Structures are given as structure tokens and as C-alpha cells.
Amino acid sequence: MIPHATCSRAVFAASLKAKRSQTFKAFYATIRGLRNPSPDPDETSVPEHDFVLSILRANPSLRDTRSYLASFGPRPQTPPVTAPADISLPPSQSTVQPPEQPIPASEHPKPSPIVASILNPVVRRTALVKIQGPFTDVQLDSITRGLVYLEKLGLVSVIVVENDDLPRGELDERAAIIEETMRVVTSLEKHGARARPVVGAVVRLGPKPCDDERLPDDGIALPEAHTVPSDLIPIRSALRAGEIPVISPFAMDSFCRSIRIDANDIIAGLARGMVEAAAKDNSKRGDERDDTSEDVDLTPLRLMIINREGGVPSYARSGYPHLLINLVSEYSHIHDTFHQPWHHSHPTALSNLSLARTCLAYMPPTSSAVMVSHRSSSSLIANLITNKPAVSSSLPHALLQGNRKLTPHTPTLLRRGLPIQVLRNVSDIDRTKLNALLEQSFKKTLEQDRFYGRLEKTLDYVILAGDYAGAAIVTKEPCPGLEAPITYLDKFAVLPSHQGDGTVDFLWVALHDESYGLGLPFSANPNGGKGGKGEGQDLVWRSRADNPVNKWYFERSSGHLRMGSWVLFWCDAEKRLEIEKGRRGSSGLSHVEDWEEGRLVKWADVVFKIPGSWRK
């Protein structure tokens, strides 16, 4: 097999070499054309990229496209009335183009169906955007170009302008803020968008009158500002006219004066007010909706915080940003692990984190927030289409450390998220809910007596996301010849309604922290388990060879072994790998360590004898 593979590589290399000379010059010219000779990357002016290329760089999957179309695509239409059977054309005639409509001699190639579907949004949605300057003209152009691209995809920005270098109380602060607002408007129009400055107050300072009657039960503070329906008239008017509203951070106080307040309070008040206004619009409109209407759905689909410092720094990534944050589970933990130097390098990270938490509490569960540096504004397109972080947070830690996409300016994606808990006794499991989760996820009927009978003997723990929205079931399987039993991932399941909303990554990160990641500092996450304390264990599982999820498993496992119609996966205990690597120093690890010798055979002998859990 090896000589054949070597020969194949040689043939492939030869074919590439034949074309390399004629393609290199064009490739170099393309790259050179995308560069600016300015040595400061912060001041680099990015040329106008092809819009379709920006979408392709997002690399949307079929699931991503379906999710995008669910928000921006046409609503299902009534199927056309079919002709009676006695007058229908034969199949051979019905598929032939009539002669009076000849096929053109030359046609432009049709774009990819995925790209074509994304390029034709029907329903327009809104995003709340905080532009947190100050920014140079070049930086602002980069930001507004990204926002104009989003508008072409159907996401219209409602922008609130902030400038951290303009202290409050200055004599000319109002004029300075209005000037910043007009800079954003001018930059948007430069890139072909229509924008409207809104320099009047769109929120009212203080709590909403009805807030006195109820208090939040989730610990989230109520917004410091609120709106009434008439306050949103300038925003509605701009959206209906096809314009992007650009709002100055002014609010009306109890004396009916327009005063400058923190942009975060403006955005939080707008998030709540726009969601409530959209709910009233939908109740008046009823279930019927005209896709050709000029109205824009006021419900914010995204919260985008564009600043100079980027996302929230993480202790687990040596100060590089968090990739994906589960606000329900991680909010307090992030505050507790926020290092003192970050208060100077990322002075607004925690306040923006609080803003995201407040806004997402009112926005739909499918909504997300993104904190991004102005240097990564192009990533907003990928976030809109995929609604995923730039790099998956559930990838192996070693792979994340060496990933070129992970930089100080990598965006942080934030979701409302779900609570994570760990159960260690079968008696604590709600069998009805777990049955529903497993059967909906696997689309099979569970053999309950056999399944729970086995768990009674072998269960190690169950990690739950939310109210049985997802679960990872781990067992201890005795293995002859090994001192410790095998840590076996028996089931990993997420409800279809939660696939694509971050639950899969939240669940796998918790699984990592409780198994092969134990004992390392970055595993001390608030997952309701051991808090990172303990000895890591190799995690082993099996999957059908034709399982479409295997691609996801390949990226997260240390290795795999194909055995007939099955694939054996495993994740090595990371702490042991770190110890071995330290012992060997610069020589690194060998291909097969002494402690690895023969373990695959022993694992396979046990794992493939585990009885199935489904009815045949």
C-alpha cells in the first residue's frame, strides 16, 4: 500500500508541476493586488472584494444555508394547481423547451445553488450594531463596507455610535458626537448604501413603568433606558425607506431634555423595545405575511459590537479571545477569571459582555451576539451565514493553539446558552425526557429495559445541556488486561431543534472537561462537574462508518480505526500527553508510545461487544 501511495503522490506532484509555472504569475498578481504597501496593518485599506467571494469565504454548509433561508428566504407558498391528468403532456414533451423560445447560444454559468440562495434574500431582518470608536477613516471604511455587505444579504443594521475618547460633560460633546454620527453616515453612503442620521433621542432614561411590578428571575439587570412605540418612528421610517439608521447616543430624561448616555444603555433599551414592537406588529398582522412588504422585521437577529479591542480574553487561551460563550453557564466564571492586566488592554470587555447578556435575554433564542475588532469586520458575513464562531471551541486544545485563525482579533460569539449539569446516578435521570431526546436525535426506538439495565451497572456520568436539550452519556467498561476500565462515550445526542445553536459545542467542551481534559487549567470550566480537578482519562467511542457526523468526530478525536462497518474513535488524556512530551523534551513523542502498545486491540475487543440500544 505504501509504495502505491507514494507513486500516486508522485504522479499528482508531476501534474501540479506542469501547471505551476503558468499559474504562479497569475496567483502572485492576485495576491499582490489584494495587498497595500502600507506597513501598518491597522491602517491598511482593503480593496473592494467581490461580494460573492466574501460569501464563499464563509464556507457555509447545507445546514447553515437552510438556517439562513429560514430567516431570510421566502415563506412557503401555496402549491400550484396541477393540470388534469387527461391534458398533461407526456414526460418526453413536458421537459423539452418550446421551439419559440430557443436556447441562447451562450449563457453565463449558473452560480452554486448555495451561493445563489444566499444572494437572493426576500425577508429583511435587523441587527443592533454598536460602532465603538474612535476609528480612523480607513478603519471606519472597513467596518461600513462589511455592514453594507450584510445589508445585501438581508440584514439591515440599526447602528448606535460611541466614541470612548469623548468624555461626558464636555462643553462641545454633543457636536462631537453628531460629527461622529455623520462620519459613519458618509462612510456608508460611500460604499453605496443609503443611511439616515438619527440625532434625536430614541430611548427614555429610567426604568419602564411596568418594571416596578416584576423583577427578573434570572439575575439579569433591567435596562437603564426604555422605549415607547412612538420613539421607534425614526427607525421605522428609515428602514421602510431602505436606509440604515445611524443613531447618536442621546436619551430623553425626566425633564424632556436630550442628554448623552452610555451607548450600551441605548442598545439595551432598543433591544427590548424593538422585540416588543415586533411582537405587536406580528399580532396585528396575524399569521399572514407579505414577503413583498417594505416593512422590516424589527426583532433583532444579531447584536454586533465592533470595537478596537476585539472579543473577551480567556485565561484558557493565554489571553486570546473566547471563541464561543455560553452566557447562562459562563458569565460569572468569566468575571472571576478576568485577569487584572486585561482591565487595561480590554477596558470595555466586561461591560460589553453584560450588554450581550441583557440584549440576548430579550432577543429570540436563535439570536447571537458577536464582539469583533475592526480588523476582523469581514468575519461578520461568516457569522451571519453560519451563526458559528470563526473556530470551533470544541476542537482539541492543541489544535486550537496552533490554529492560524486564532489571533488576538478573533471574534467572540456569544449565545444565551443553556445550563450544564452532571448526573452521576441513574436514579437522577428523567427517563421520559432522556428517551425523547435519544429517539428524536437518532430517529430510532430505544430498547429501554436493556439500555437502562446496562446503565445501572456501568454508568459513570451523564452531562445534560438545558432541560434535556442535549446529553453525553459516559460509561465505565471493564477491560481485561488494563488496570482501569475504558471511559466509553455511549451516547452523544442533541435535539434537532438545538442543532446549530451552539449546544453541540457546549456539550462537547463539558465532555472534554470531565474526561480526557481533566487535570489541566483550561478544563476548570463551570460545567457542574469536577472543575478540572483529577486525572484525565482516554475517551473511546464507536460510530457507524456511514454516519454523517463522523467528519465532526474526525476533527475532535486523537485518532480513529476503521473496522468493517464501524469506526473506533478515541481522545487521549491530554495531561498524560503533556507529561510525556515534557519528559522527552525536544525529541517529541514517538509514533507509538509504550503505554499505547496493544491498547487498540483491547479497546476494540470490548467496545464492539457492547450490545445495541435500539429496537430492530
Side-chain angles (χ1 to χ4, degrees):
M1 293 297 293
I2 294 178
H4 176 72
T6 304
C7 180
S8 299
R9 285 194 296 268
V11 173
F12 182 67
S15 64
L16 285 179
K17 186 176 181 180
K19 297 181 179 180
R20 188 168 296 156
S21 59
Q22 60 185 357
T23 59
F24 177 76
K25 291 182 179 179
F27 172 77
Y28 176 75
T30 301
I31 297 301
R32 183 178 57 185
L34 294 176
R35 292 177 177 170
N36 187 292
S38 172
D40 184 4
D42 196 35
E43 296 294 330
T44 299
S45 176
V46 182
E48 186 69 27
H49 292 295
D50 181 14
F51 180 44
V52 177
L53 182 61
S54 299
I55 297 176
L56 291 174
R57 284 174 177 167
N59 194 23
S61 66
L62 184 58
R63 175 179 290 174
D64 296 334
T65 306
R66 287 172 178 168
S67 177
Y68 170 84
L69 292 177
S71 297
F72 297 94
R75 298 299 187 267
Q77 302 294 327
T78 304
V81 179
T82 56
D86 57 346
I87 63 171
S88 60
L89 293 174
S92 59
Q93 298 181 27
S94 60
T95 57
V96 177
Q97 190 173 9
E100 60 269 21
Q101 298 178 0
I103 300 176
S106 62
E107 292 183 347
H108 295 290
K110 294 183 179 180
S112 161
I114 291 181
V115 175
S117 61
I118 292 174
L119 284 171
N120 293 282
V122 175
V123 179
R124 294 192 297 160
R125 306 293 296 273
T126 56
L128 278 170
V129 180
K130 176 185 177 184
I131 296 184
Q132 181 181 337
F135 296 115
T136 65
D137 290 341
V138 173
Q139 294 166 354
L140 189 59
D141 277 351
S142 175
I143 294 169
T144 54
R145 181 186 297 111
L147 297 181
V148 171
Y149 280 0
L150 292 180
E151 185 188 29
K152 293 179 181 180
L153 291 169
L155 190 71
V156 185
S157 299
V158 177
I159 300 172
V160 179
V161 178
E162 183 63 286
N163 189 320
D164 292 339
D165 284 357
L166 292 177
R168 295 188 205 172
E170 295 290 329
L171 184 62
D172 59 346
E173 70 168 333
R174 185 177 186 87
I177 284 293
I178 292 177
E179 182 181 352
E180 282 294 299
T181 303
M182 295 308 301
R183 285 185 66 226
V184 175
V185 170
T186 302
S187 185
L188 287 167
E189 292 179 339
K190 172 183 175 181
H191 296 292
R194 298 168 59 192
R196 180 186 301 186
V198 180
V199 297
V202 295
V203 300
R204 301 170 185 239
L205 197 59
K208 205 167 186 176
C210 62
D211 289 344
D212 296 335
E213 303 174 4
R214 64 177 184 86
L215 294 174
D217 56 1
D218 50 12
I220 300 177
L222 292 167
E224 295 291 335
H226 68 279
T227 67
V228 298
S230 59
D231 295 332
L232 299 178
I233 290 177
I235 295 176
R236 286 185 183 273
S237 175
L239 294 175
R240 287 172 178 167
E243 299 171 337
I244 297 176
V246 184
I247 303 167
S248 300
F250 298 133
M252 185 180 296
D253 67 6
S254 57
F255 298 99
C256 295
R257 298 175 302 186
S258 177
I259 62 171
R260 180 189 175 193
I261 66 172
D262 194 299
N264 285 9
D265 295 329
I266 301 280
I267 294 173
L270 283 177
R272 179 181 181 182
M274 291 170 67
V275 168
E276 293 173 348
K280 290 182 179 179
D281 292 345
N282 292 333
S283 64
K284 291 179 182 178
R285 188 182 296 119
D287 295 333
E288 296 182 0
R289 180 168 185 166
D290 182 8
D291 287 335
T292 62
S293 171
E294 293 298 321
D295 284 341
V296 177
D297 190 339
L298 280 182
T299 306
L301 189 70
R302 296 283 192 277
L303 169 66
M304 298 178 177
I305 301 170
I306 307 174
N307 55 26
R308 294 174 296 172
E309 59 194 61
V312 182
S314 168
Y315 76 97
R317 309 199 192 285
S318 303
Y320 277 22
H322 282 272
L323 298 172
L324 177 64
I325 293 178
N326 180 346
L327 287 168
V328 170
S329 296
E330 302 176 45
Y331 182 81
S332 298
H333 183 69
I334 291 173
H335 274 265
D336 296 340
T337 57
F338 199 83
H339 294 174
Q340 186 61 35
W342 298 339
H343 289 283
H344 301 285
S345 61
H346 296 73
T348 63
L350 294 182
S351 61
N352 284 330
L353 180 71
S354 178
L355 171 65
R357 184 186 186 214
T358 301
C359 292
L360 290 177
Y362 295 102
M363 294 161 64
T366 54
S367 298
S368 63
V370 60
M371 293 173 58
V372 59
S373 162
H374 63 86
R375 300 188 186 186
S376 303
S377 58
S378 60
S379 63
L380 295 177
I381 292 179
N383 170 256
L384 172 64
I385 298 174
T386 66
N387 206 11
K388 296 176 182 177
V391 183
S392 174
S393 59
S394 62
L395 288 171
H397 193 75
L399 184 58
L400 287 174
Q401 287 179 317
N403 197 308
R404 294 182 178 179
K405 291 184 178 180
L406 187 59
T407 71
H409 303 284
T410 302
T412 295
L413 184 69
L414 307 99
R415 287 186 173 276
R416 185 190 306 177
L418 297 168
I420 304 293
Q421 61 176 321
V422 179
L423 307 179
R424 301 195 181 275
N425 298 309
V426 178
S427 58
D428 295 331
I429 298 174
D430 187 323
R431 299 192 180 191
T432 301
K433 293 181 178 179
L434 184 59
N435 295 345
L437 164 62
L438 295 177
E439 291 183 354
Q440 289 184 48
S441 178
F442 287 92
K443 296 181 174 59
K444 297 179 181 179
T445 303
L446 189 68
E447 185 61 64
Q448 298 182 28
D449 293 340
R450 183 168 59 199
F451 177 67
Y452 289 104
R454 205 176 77 80
L455 290 188
E456 292 282 358
K457 302 175 183 178
T458 62
L459 179 68
D460 191 2
Y461 54 84
V462 178
I463 303 176
L464 293 178
D467 189 16
Y468 288 81
I473 303 174
V474 178
T475 60
K476 288 289 188 183
E477 305 293 337
C479 182
L482 295 180
E483 296 181 1
I486 298 174
T487 301
Y488 176 67
L489 177 58
D490 189 278
K491 295 287 185 294
F492 187 84
V494 174
L495 286 176
S497 59
H498 283 270
Q499 293 175 7
D501 69 354
T503 301
V504 172
D505 280 331
F506 296 146
L507 194 59
W508 192 270
V509 169
L511 176 64
H512 162 274
D513 295 346
E514 288 300 299
S515 58
Y516 62 99
L518 268 179
L520 295 176
F522 50 80
S523 297
N525 293 310
N527 292 323
K530 297 181 179 180
K533 297 179 181 179
E535 292 296 324
Q537 302 295 324
D538 298 332
L539 181 68
V540 183
W541 71 99
R542 68 184 183 186
S543 176
R544 292 281 183 183
D546 57 354
N547 187 348
V549 182
N550 285 347
K551 179 181 181 296
W552 198 81
Y553 286 152
F554 289 143
E555 295 172 345
R556 282 150 186 81
S557 62
S558 300
H560 68 276
L561 180 66
R562 295 184 180 273
M563 302 186 70
S565 59
W566 291 92
V567 182
L568 178 73
F569 291 95
W570 69 90
C571 289
D572 291 310
E574 293 179 341
K575 183 178 179 180
R576 182 171 63 242
L577 290 180
E578 291 289 337
I579 294 174
E580 291 289 342
K581 186 176 179 180
R583 287 174 180 171
R584 294 179 178 271
S586 59
S587 62
L589 295 174
S590 64
H591 292 291
V592 179
E593 299 298 314
D594 294 339
W595 47 269
E596 293 180 289
E597 193 73 38
R599 65 173 183 166
L600 295 184
V601 175
K602 297 173 183 176
W603 285 349
D605 187 55
V606 172
V607 166
F608 291 112
K609 291 180 181 178
I610 296 176
S613 307
W614 310 107
R615 292 182 184 175
K616 296 182 179 179

